[in-house]
Amino acid sequence: MKRYVPMVAIVAAVLAGAAYWYWPMIRKATGYKPPAISVSYGRLNAIQLQRPAGEVAGLAILVSGADDRGGRAAALARELERRDIAVLPVDLDAWRPALDTDPGECIYLGSDIEGLAKEAQRLVESRHYLHPVVVGVGEGGTLAYAALADAPAATFAGAVSLEPSDALATAVPVCEGARATAVGARGFSYAEDAALPDRGVVIRAGDGPSDAQAASDTSGSHRLEVKEAATPEARLALAVDAVSDIAAADADAKALPVVDIPAKGKAERLAVFYSGDGGWRDIDKSVGEALAEQGVHVVGVDSLRYFWSVRKPERIASDLARIVHDADPSGKLPISLLGYSFGADTAPFAWPFLPAEIRDRIRFIGLLGTEKMTPFQVTIENWLGMGGDHEVAAAIAALPNEKVLCVYGGEETETACEDPRLAAVEKLKLDGGHHFDGDYDALSGQLLEAMKRRDQAS
């Protein structure tokens, strides 16, 4: 018997689908403003996330203090919201006491800023992870530059400093990235010649030409761009444009977030490397770049962005096959599958779903810093070391044992490498904990040697 769906149900379904896709535009057209959400992380408490009416196109952490007497930060926030950029306005004077009681010899700002951005995006259930643009006015502008200079790559999308002050008043300086100089009782100034991991822009009063150095230098670092304008209105417009441009460039990478590192000289092999849940910036970045210097074409997968939404093993496998095809259309290079931490935990689950010809070409599987349990999504709980609901050792045990190298630190207590089910898997025990005491050059050499041995055995 045929079943007929009532017309009212069809109309309701169509309207519901249209509302889902067009709701951000409807809200923007009607002037609807979502309520602010209180976000806290680390030393930053009860920061009110200001969301635009339309779909969020970027995220700005906007820092200002008492020296912003003209309300420049508030005006900047309003203009950014009109560009569909969400804003987390941070009161520097409320944050400063916590910074001044930091027990270290210097202040690392990246953990507070990045953690606040992650927490905010989880609270609003963002479908894609957006790296924050650190924006500052006055003293906040000085902080924004110093924070970017000290941050690992892929921590922030970039930074914009509007009329920064000549010093930032803190008890100890921001950790080295930009050289700090004590300025009497007024805190520290920061040299503007630092090699930046991402784009940085400073905007000042003046009528000189802008110094537009948007491209990175030959080392992959960026140099601070200096822009000048004669009026406050023109400077504000430059700041809004700079934040929007940086946010747009960051958002462009959200679909399949990969970092392509061609081999120096002729590529002898291809490695697909899944990063830890902090993104492509630490061990993965350092080891990937070292391998590329030795003739390995490396494609890094930024796990923070890739796994921001749940990725089932079937999807991981299909995306991996696509990455391999795009990187080596000839289909001739031997493949290494690498992962660090979260990436090492999740990549093995894709193995059964890979096309047979990809599995045959994978000669080496290097898993660094595995843990015992994993989810298939980056979560707050995972950042806190609370694991997930999938057993990592079981997935590794299902791999061809002869292809696997399980690398772990002697001080790690939650590694999957020591699981009895992996007795037949080759292991490499290194000094230190989850970061192997930072000796990444030695680690990359050992991985390359393991690749070569598998190639010879094939």
Side-chain angles (χ1 to χ4, degrees):
M1 178 184 294
K2 292 183 178 179
R3 297 194 177 193
Y4 295 94
V5 179
M7 182 58 68
V8 66
I10 296 174
V11 172
V14 171
L15 290 175
Y20 175 83
W21 290 110
Y22 293 104
W23 180 235
M25 288 183 281
I26 295 170
R27 291 190 311 194
K28 194 169 185 178
T30 58
Y32 170 80
K33 183 173 175 60
I37 292 177
S38 181
V39 186
S40 299
Y41 187 88
R43 296 168 292 196
L44 292 169
N45 297 305
I47 309 301
Q48 301 300 303
L49 174 64
Q50 300 173 6
R51 290 178 290 166
E55 185 172 355
V56 174
L59 176 65
I61 311 289
L62 177 54
V63 185
S64 63
D67 64 339
D68 180 25
R69 298 181 182 86
R72 295 165 295 174
L76 183 53
R78 288 193 297 271
E79 293 301 320
L80 291 176
E81 287 183 55
R82 291 191 180 104
R83 300 280 186 98
D84 291 330
I85 294 175
V87 178
L88 282 157
V90 174
D91 182 341
L92 175 57
D93 297 308
W95 190 16
R96 195 180 337 247
L99 298 178
D100 284 345
T101 56
D102 190 297
E105 296 179 354
C106 63
I107 308 166
Y108 177 59
L109 299 167
S111 57
D112 283 357
I113 297 171
E114 184 183 31
L116 188 73
K118 289 176 176 177
E119 181 70 9
Q121 293 180 74
R122 277 293 176 224
L123 287 175
V124 299
E125 299 181 337
S126 173
R127 289 178 294 168
H128 302 286
Y129 181 73
L130 299 169
H131 293 99
V133 185
V134 190
V135 188
V137 175
E139 266 197 284
T142 307
L143 181 145
Y145 165 70
L148 176 65
D150 184 46
T155 302
F156 308 137
V160 176
S161 302
L162 176 58
E163 302 172 19
S165 63
D166 60 359
L168 172 63
T170 52
V172 295
V174 175
C175 293
E176 189 171 352
R179 289 179 292 108
T181 302
V183 186
R186 296 172 50 234
F188 299 87
S189 64
Y190 295 89
E192 294 184 345
D193 58 357
L196 304 175
D198 296 286
R199 188 180 172 197
V201 181
V202 61
I203 298 158
R204 293 194 176 95
D207 54 8
S210 295
D211 177 17
Q213 301 182 46
S216 61
D217 62 26
T218 55
S219 69
S221 299
H222 297 253
R223 294 293 172 180
L224 184 67
E225 301 170 41
V226 178
K227 298 180 181 293
E228 294 185 353
T231 67
E233 294 78 14
R235 293 192 290 274
L236 180 67
L238 284 174
V240 173
D241 286 344
V243 176
S244 298
D245 289 347
I246 292 171
D250 180 70
D252 281 346
K254 68 188 180 185
L256 188 56
V258 297
V259 179
D260 189 77
I261 312 176
K264 184 177 181 180
K266 183 181 178 181
E268 297 179 358
R269 48 185 58 84
L270 171 68
V272 181
F273 196 163
Y274 289 83
S275 80
D277 59 12
W280 184 260
R281 70 186 196 193
D282 189 19
I283 289 180
D284 16 62
K285 180 176 184 293
S286 298
V287 172
E289 291 173 351
L291 290 174
E293 287 288 317
Q294 299 298 319
V296 182
H297 180 179
V298 178
V299 180
V301 180
D302 182 336
S303 290
L304 172 59
R305 291 194 119 155
Y306 183 71
F307 290 100
W308 187 254
S309 298
V310 173
R311 301 276 184 170
K312 294 293 187 182
E314 298 90 336
R315 176 64 183 276
I316 301 170
S318 64
D319 286 342
L320 175 56
R322 172 183 160 193
I323 290 169
V324 168
H325 180 268
D326 290 347
D328 179 28
S330 71
K332 295 180 179 179
L333 291 176
I335 302 168
S336 292
L337 177 60
L338 306 177
Y340 169 65
S341 193
F342 187 90
D345 296 340
T346 48
F349 288 90
W351 181 264
F353 304 100
L354 286 171
E357 61 97 6
I358 298 291
R359 290 201 304 267
D360 290 343
R361 287 175 58 200
I362 294 176
R363 308 272 181 82
F364 174 63
I365 303 172
L367 304 174
L368 321 177
T370 58
E371 295 168 310
K372 292 181 178 180
M373 304 291 291
T374 189
F376 294 143
Q377 179 183 25
V378 170
T379 63
I380 299 292
E381 292 78 11
N382 197 245
W383 295 326
L384 298 175
M386 297 172 67
D389 49 3
H390 302 281
E391 278 195 292
V392 174
I396 298 174
L399 300 173
N401 290 338
E402 71 278 4
K403 297 186 178 185
V404 180
L405 174 65
C406 199
V407 183
Y408 65 107
E411 297 175 10
E412 290 192 272
T413 58
E414 292 297 316
T415 177
C417 292
E418 295 185 311
D419 190 286
R421 287 170 288 186
L422 304 185
V425 168
E426 182 184 358
K427 301 173 187 66
L428 175 60
K429 182 178 179 180
L430 299 176
D431 292 337
H434 201 53
H435 291 81
F436 314 127
D437 280 354
D439 192 357
Y440 305 149
D441 286 340
L443 174 58
S444 61
Q446 289 164 309
L447 291 174
L448 185 62
E449 172 60 28
M451 290 180 195
K452 291 178 177 179
R453 281 193 283 110
R454 265 72 174 186
D455 286 349
Q456 293 168 357
S458 297

